[in-house]
Amino acid sequence: MHLITTFVIVENKRTLILNKIQRWWQGRGFGIESKTDYAFLHNVIREKLPYYAYNQWQQLFPDADNNDMYLAKLLFRISNNHQPATIHLHGNVTALALHAVSDGCRKASVKTADTPYIRLSDYGISAKIEHGMMVEYVPHTSSQDVPVAIVLTEIEGANRVLWQRLLEIPAITYDIQDIGVLLIRKGRYPEHYKINR
């Protein structure tokens, strides 16, 4: 019994290490051929420059942990990059996340859902978000080159099934450990990238 347990632990660690290496490889841009995907990875997801809003959030939300702050910074950078017309927030939306999306694009209409149910009617997906949250960035109808962006949290936990259903949509996806970013761009082949934070 002890030998089997040891083998399972070693096999799990090996899988974890291989997964980390693959995420590191793609996180540095290796294997990403599209210029737009590479630019989104480096200019939005892995951006390290300090924006003005970060200091304000640390003063407003001193109890926010590193994961909450990382998610807020990511939501802010996507809002800032996309400049969407509407931002829909579903699930357990925190005040920090709400500040992040509205600070990233002040002219966007930010809407929080009254129910935990989401409906992506164009793709035949409807689900209930009990844990975590989903943020949907809807571009202006006139901007053809800006994709619809969806950010989903807890993709390795409570929202794993929903994330698997979203992966069926032809889109560019970035799996950032427990956060999933989905860019739906018409006319593009689907690509799936796994990266570290």
Side-chain angles (χ1 to χ4, degrees), residues 9-72:
I9 290 172
V10 169
E11 187 65 27
N12 286 345
K13 283 186 178 180
R14 191 180 123 218
T15 305
L16 183 68
I17 290 169
L18 290 175
N19 196 3
K20 283 260 190 201
I21 291 171
Q22 179 192 8
R23 286 178 182 274
W24 175 85
W25 180 258
Q26 284 191 335
R28 297 293 178 260
F30 298 112
I32 299 178
E33 296 176 12
S34 168
K35 290 180 183 179
T36 55
D37 296 354
Y38 183 83
F40 186 79
L41 172 69
H42 281 282
N43 298 335
V44 178
I45 292 178
R46 298 190 67 84
E47 176 66 55
K48 300 295 184 203
L49 294 175
Y51 284 92
Y52 66 92
Y54 296 173
N55 291 334
Q56 295 172 358
W57 299 341
Q58 288 174 342
Q59 293 170 357
L60 287 171
F61 306 100
D63 296 337
D65 63 2
N66 288 341
N67 291 334
D68 291 340
M69 198 58 76
Y70 177 82
L71 177 62

Side-chain angles (χ1 to χ4, degrees), residues 71-107:
L71 177 62
K73 290 176 180 179
L74 179 64
L75 293 174
F76 171 82
R77 291 190 304 260
I78 293 173
S79 294
N80 194 16
N81 183 59
H82 275 59
Q83 294 295 308
T86 311
I87 302 171
H88 299 281
L89 293 110
H90 307 275
N92 303 321
V93 179
T94 63
L96 177 59
L98 194 59
H99 269 286
V101 295
S102 58
D103 286 350
C105 183
R106 295 193 186 272
K107 62 185 178 187

Side-chain angles (χ1 to χ4, degrees), residues 107-125:
K107 62 185 178 187
S109 170
V110 179
K111 300 177 182 178
T112 56
D114 298 333
T115 64
Y117 292 95
I118 60 138
R119 183 176 307 271
L120 299 172
S121 54
D122 292 348
Y123 308 102
I125 294 176

